[in-house]
Amino acid sequence: MLDIQALRTDLPVIAARLATRGFVLDTAHFQKLESHRKSTQTRTQELQAKRNSTSKLIGQAKAKGEDTSAIMAEVASLGDELKQAEVQLGEVQSALQQLLEVIPNTPHSTVPLGKSETDNLEVRKVGSIPAFDFAVKDHVNLGEKLGLDFDTAAKISGARFSLLKGSLARLHRALAQFMLDTHTERHGYTEVYVPYLVNAESMRGTGQLPKFEEDLFRVPRRGFEPTERISPDGVYQRGFMSEPLANPMEDWYLIPTAEVPVTNMVRDEIVLLEQLPLKFVAHTPCFRSEAGSYGRDTRGMIRQHQFDKVELVQIIHPEKSYEGLEELLGHAETILQKLGLPYRVVKLCSGDMGFSAAMTYDIEVWLPAQNAYREISSCSNFEAFQARRMQARFRNAQGKPELVHTLNGSGLAVGRTLVAVLENYQQADGSVVVPEVLRSYMGGLEVIKAS
RNA sequence: GGAGAGGUGGCAGAGUGGUCGAAUGUACCUGACUCGAAAUCAGGCGUAGGUGUAUGCCUACCGUGGGUUCGAAUCCCACCCUCUCCGCCA
């Protein structure tokens, strides 16, 4: 969320910055709401002040045993007008809030201007692209002999799920363990285990709600009848839904990234200055509906409804956040370097960044079968955008509460890393060499072969 | 699933419907005393918002949302959360 004070004082400037990311801010609408808010709030507070002072007089008069009927009649006439003013104020404030919640973050001044991913800026390329003296296979072809089974996953669940067996399942686990160990032992992160089902308030805090609900899996709790049942006359019914119950419980959402539960750890908290930066790493599954991505990456495990990710999160002092972003990016890069995977770092342009980010670096890993770099990590500085939504603050040197900055980045997406390992370490016979750093996690296994 | 207890300021903990934004203790900050510290004494110490050049003034907030009332931390309703006991359970 943007600072409403800044919008009040600097509206044209902020609108122009938002325009660089392709967002049109309706400034006239904002100004109209804002002036309505101002007059309504002033009027409401005047009436409240009058009610309060008069009511106090009644109390004092009664204490002395005086007659209060005249004064009570006076304040009674306030009632309707005050109630109406309060309702109006509530309406205009929630309208402002709703408007504010769907405005994206303003890009940092050093973010390259552009409309789409073609305008992103390549920052560096690291590692050398492997040369193969045979026809490279993609991870799907390679995996089918090694334990990567999409058919069974489709039977169990549906499209965009995968099932790993044997050495590949272990490789998947090894990657996650290796990443966690590296970040905790070398980069100073504290490992956390977090809930995978979160409430709407947490989703709002990091910016997934209210605008991107269609990307999420929503899990109803109490509130509906089951979706399957045997009807009274003995017929099996599927997809049955009753009318909603009178008092439904708040729904949960499956996390689309560990960013949500981990960053929300500091929601509604005031952390001590000396505790900053807080650095957390979590290995979690991520669940995404992939609504709107029909037909994209349908083959293989690049784009799944469920995938694992090791996520880095930092809660950091505002003056240190850009420094912190470079460090966090480096922490993610370390994983690729140690795995010996070639990659490049891209700075996203204003038009390609996510809703909440002020600056984002993507790390793209080389996939030989696609002959392309593909995103494997996204590292962002959200500045105070998420902190403002979460009311996540620290006590500054003057002892006053001030919003923290939040950073996060994948370190890395486990499924895509597995794809990259398979494709980059493949051999002519269809086997895959296990990267050196993973072997201790694989019981010393050096090559994954068809069983 | 059944029965009960409770949610108040950083923490602890009071609060007959009427100067309660809230006693008191503790922590913290400032000052006094001291060579210094401890102890003691005095003062200060919530968050958000509005308004004004300004000392300031005003509004909201006692789990959340409604309601009753001229007036609600206090009364009523619903919900959320925590804890205890019983049952079930990985």
Side-chain angles (χ1 to χ4, degrees), chain A residues 23-31 99:
Chain A
F23 183 86
V24 180
L25 179 62
D26 188 343
T27 55
H29 179 54
F30 175 81
Q31 279 175 319
L99 175 66

Side-chain angles (χ1 to χ4, degrees), chain A residues 183-184 187-191 279-281 312-314 328 331:
Chain A
H183 295 312
T184 54
H187 300 150
Y189 289 79
T190 302
E191 183 172 351
K279 295 165 73 179
F280 297 115
V281 58
L312 305 172
V313 171
Q314 291 195 25
L328 185 146
H331 298 150

Side-chain angles (χ1 to χ4, degrees), chain A residues 195-402:
Chain A
Y196 303 156
L197 288 164
V198 302
N199 56 34
E201 208 37 54
S202 294
M203 286 294 184
R204 192 178 306 278
T206 33
Q208 281 75 19
L209 289 180
K211 213 175 175 182
F212 304 101
E213 178 155 28
E214 68 276 12
D215 296 335
L216 302 171
F217 287 112
R218 184 169 171 172
V219 181
R221 287 206 266 176
R222 196 199 321 128
F224 286 94
E225 290 290 310
T227 56
E228 285 182 273
R229 67 164 194 182
I230 308 296
S231 75
D233 48 338
V235 179
Y236 172 80
Q237 292 180 321
R238 195 163 166 231
F240 170 84
M241 278 253 180
S242 73
E243 289 296 306
L245 299 178
N247 288 312
M249 290 176 83
E250 192 193 1
D251 287 345
W252 277 320
Y253 294 86
L254 279 163
I255 57 169
T257 159
E259 165 193 350
V260 177
V262 177
T263 310
N264 273 280
M265 286 167 68
V266 293
R267 173 153 58 84
D268 295 321
E269 299 289 332
I270 299 177
V271 302
L272 300 175
L273 179 63
E274 54 270 25
Q275 291 176 312
L276 298 179
L278 296 170
K279 295 165 73 179
F280 297 115
V281 58
H283 166 218
T284 74
C286 304
F287 302 94
R288 299 188 180 176
S289 75
E290 294 299 339
S293 66
Y294 305 110
R296 287 180 66 192
D297 299 313
T298 50
R299 181 179 168 84
M301 59 184 299
I302 293 289
R303 190 175 297 276
Q304 304 275 284
H305 288 309
Q306 171 189 320
F307 62 95
D308 278 28
K309 189 151 60 71
V310 171
E311 184 77 0
L312 305 172
V313 171
Q314 291 195 25
I315 311 299
I316 194 164
H317 192 286
E319 285 164 17
K320 299 275 177 60
S321 67
Y322 279 95
E323 211 175 294
L325 176 62
E326 297 297 326
E327 276 174 31
L328 185 146
L329 174 66
H331 298 150
E333 287 183 65
T334 299
I335 302 297
L336 287 163
Q337 288 163 14
K338 287 176 158 273
L339 288 170
L341 293 169
Y343 66 90
R344 64 171 191 162
V345 175
V346 166
K347 190 172 185 176
L348 298 195
C349 75
S350 53
D352 199 30
M353 284 195 307
F355 177 75
S356 304
M359 188 191 289
T360 299
Y361 291 105
D362 273 6
I363 304 176
E364 299 179 341
V365 70
W366 178 254
L367 293 186
Q370 293 194 7
N371 201 41
Y373 288 100
R374 291 300 304 262
E375 179 186 339
I376 197 166
S377 172
S378 192
C379 302
S380 302
N381 185 353
F382 303 93
E383 297 185 355
F385 189 86
Q386 294 180 325
R388 191 170 293 110
R389 290 172 159 251
M390 293 190 299
Q391 282 302 296
R393 294 167 294 177
F394 69 103
R395 223 166 262 289
N396 66 21
Q398 289 73 45
K400 289 289 160 200
E402 184 180 332

